[in-house]
Amino acid sequence: MERLILTFILIVCINAFGEVEGGSIPGGKYEEKTNKIPEMGEKPEFRSRNVIQVWEKAKRMELSETKMAELKGLLATHDQKAWQVKKDHREGKDIGDADAKLKIKLNQIMQRFGMARGAPDNQKALYNDVNRDFEDQRLEQLWRHAQTQDHFDKHELEELKKELMHHQDQLNEYNALAEDIYGPLNDAKKEKDRREKRNAKDNMTPTGDDPADPAKRRARELDLKLKHRDLNKDYQRLRTKMTPEEERGGFEDRRVISLWNDAVEASFSDEELESIKEELQAFEAKIHGYEEAQKAALREEKMYHNLKSRGENPDVQKHHTLRETAKELGSKISETMGSWRKALTAGRIHKEL
């Protein structure tokens, strides 16, 4: 009986440890290679296969330590969300289009770090959804994009949607005015044609106006142009909200935000960055001044044509002078922007070297 017990124990030990006379059972569950305890640093970075592939690609690209650290943080958050969606799906929960949104978000991360060329096909499918929230394609894209961002909480998304809806109402009013001036558009290509008309409206012949009164017609066109500028300004404001506040540097203009981000990524000291920030604040103020000068010139020209349509003889030089002033400011803005780009590019090159 005692020998039988000893034999049983021996068999259990062999099966448990896979060892026979100091050897190992090839491919056994507890083989040393199969069950090797990971050393420090060998723990898998992520659980999602797609995220792992992106991380491995980033390592092959040899990005800077700063970019790798930033990417790792974004991927860690994404990995956690992807794992939760997968878990919910396994448990039979309704995940809606969460999986598609995750793919879009991952693609955006890849684009941000130069690892992707374009959006996945299912992103276009989302934007073509018949249950879209906004008639305007750009607003729909902003809304879809906002819902994939981590920096919006539920309340902020609700407020953003209200702002987008208000912008859609203003856009509808603008389009109605444009159709009143230029005539109805082809429904099949309505949205595309509207954008083309905004860019080429000065070359079109308005309808509904007295052809013998070009001054009145021009005044209406200028009014439409002013409304379009306001709409575009508001759209850019909404678009800027897609960038987390901590990445904007306190700036509002997207071009200046881009310059600031370039400066942060370059090899400038904290003191130099503070100086750059002050200069960019002054530059942004000049951009605002330029935009106001453009609007002032348009308003003055509109007033000129309104007065002329009433038979008065207004001073033609006033709006010409304002237009030239705005043109000069625009040239200076372009030159300054070019200088900033060169300086910040030089800073990045110095850092890489």
Side-chain angles (χ1 to χ4, degrees):
M1 185 68 177
E2 184 177 342
R3 290 180 62 186
L4 183 61
I5 295 173
L6 289 173
T7 302
F8 178 77
I9 294 173
L10 179 60
I11 293 172
V12 171
C13 289
I14 291 173
N15 289 335
F17 297 100
E19 295 181 348
V20 180
E21 297 180 352
S24 63
I25 299 174
K29 181 178 179 181
Y30 296 100
E31 183 184 4
E32 184 179 359
K33 289 192 297 180
T34 306
N35 197 44
K36 181 180 178 182
I37 300 175
E39 297 179 4
M40 290 295 293
E42 291 188 6
K43 183 179 179 181
E45 302 279 358
F46 309 103
R47 294 177 290 185
S48 168
R49 180 172 56 85
N50 290 336
V51 174
I52 291 172
Q53 290 175 346
V54 172
W55 180 244
E56 291 299 323
K57 182 175 182 179
K59 289 195 287 188
R60 291 194 299 271
M61 290 174 64
E62 298 182 351
L63 298 174
S64 66
E65 290 184 10
T66 302
K67 283 187 174 293
M68 287 294 282
E70 182 184 1
L71 175 61
K72 188 173 183 180
L74 291 172
L75 290 179
T77 301
H78 186 88
D79 186 63
Q80 184 177 0
K81 290 184 176 182
W83 194 256
Q84 184 61 48
V85 169
K86 186 176 182 179
K87 180 175 178 290
D88 291 343
H89 181 66
R90 285 201 307 265
E91 294 175 355
K93 297 179 181 178
D94 182 15
I95 62 171
D97 59 358
D99 188 57
K101 288 180 178 179
L102 281 172
K103 290 179 181 178
I104 293 171
K105 178 63 177 176
L106 186 60
N107 185 265
Q108 290 169 346
I109 292 174
M110 293 177 69
Q111 288 179 340
R112 179 172 176 176
F113 290 85
M115 292 187 284
R117 293 184 179 180
D121 292 339
N122 59 339
Q123 184 173 7
K124 296 177 182 178
L126 275 177
Y127 294 154
N128 292 329
D129 190 348
V130 293
N131 295 319
R132 58 193 295 173
D133 293 275
F134 299 95
E135 179 185 352
D136 184 75
Q137 182 75 7
R138 296 194 305 172
L139 295 182
E140 181 69 15
Q141 289 176 353
L142 280 185
W143 176 238
R144 298 278 186 173
H145 179 66
Q147 293 177 86
T148 67
Q149 299 305 294
D150 299 327
H151 63 279
F152 290 114
D153 59 29
K154 184 177 180 181
H155 174 71
E156 289 170 333
L157 278 175
E158 290 174 353
E159 292 300 312
L160 176 63
K161 190 171 186 178
K162 289 179 183 178
E163 291 186 74
L164 291 170
M165 291 174 68
H166 178 65
H167 186 92
Q168 180 70 71
D169 290 341
Q170 291 182 314
L171 185 58
N172 291 342
E173 292 176 7
Y174 169 86
N175 288 332
L177 182 59
E179 289 190 3
D180 184 51
I181 296 176
Y182 299 119
L185 301 174
N186 187 313
D187 288 338
K189 302 166 79 174
K190 199 169 189 178
E191 193 168 290
K192 180 181 176 182
D193 288 348
R194 276 177 178 167
R195 289 208 181 92
E196 291 176 352
K197 283 180 179 291
R198 291 175 202 165
N199 298 327
K201 54 184 172 288
D202 287 340
N203 298 322
M204 301 178 67
T205 302
T207 61
D209 287 316
D210 183 357
D213 191 355
K216 183 178 179 181
R217 181 198 68 195
R218 182 58 182 165
R220 294 188 70 194
E221 289 179 325
L222 290 167
D223 185 53
L224 189 67
K225 198 169 186 177
L226 283 164
K227 291 182 185 300
H228 181 258
R229 283 187 176 275
D230 290 338
L231 270 173
N232 187 62
K233 181 74 174 177
D234 190 55
Y235 172 77
Q236 294 302 329
R237 178 187 66 82
L238 293 168
R239 190 180 172 197
T240 298
K241 286 193 170 188
M242 299 301 111
T243 303
E245 194 169 348
E246 60 271 17
E247 296 179 16
R248 300 179 210 164
F251 299 104
E252 298 176 357
D253 189 275
R254 289 184 59 80
R255 293 164 293 184
V256 180
I257 292 173
S258 176
L259 291 175
W260 172 247
N261 288 333
D262 286 345
V264 171
E265 293 177 3
S267 58
F268 297 108
S269 65
D270 291 343
E271 185 177 351
E272 288 172 325
L273 280 176
E274 188 60 34
S275 176
I276 289 173
K277 192 168 191 176
E278 291 178 1
E279 291 184 49
L280 285 177
Q281 287 170 342
F283 180 49
E284 187 175 58
K286 290 181 180 179
I287 291 177
H288 292 328
Y290 164 59
E291 292 172 345
E292 288 301 316
Q294 285 182 307
K295 290 175 67 174
L298 288 172
R299 283 193 292 264
E300 188 63 36
E301 186 178 358
K302 174 187 169 183
M303 183 181 295
Y304 166 82
H305 287 290
N306 276 330
L307 292 173
K308 196 168 183 180
S309 68
R310 294 199 293 263
E312 299 183 31
N313 190 26
D315 182 12
V316 68
Q317 191 60 39
K318 192 171 183 180
H319 74 265
H320 282 173
T321 301
L322 288 173
R323 185 192 300 167
E324 288 302 313
T325 299
K327 187 177 180 180
E328 290 175 9
L329 287 173
S331 297
K332 291 179 181 178
I333 293 295
S334 297
E335 290 175 8
T336 305
M337 182 69 73
S339 298
W340 271 112
R341 290 292 183 199
K342 289 180 182 178
L344 296 176
T345 299
R348 287 201 304 273
I349 292 174
H350 176 69
K351 180 179 180 180
E352 292 170 0
L353 294 175

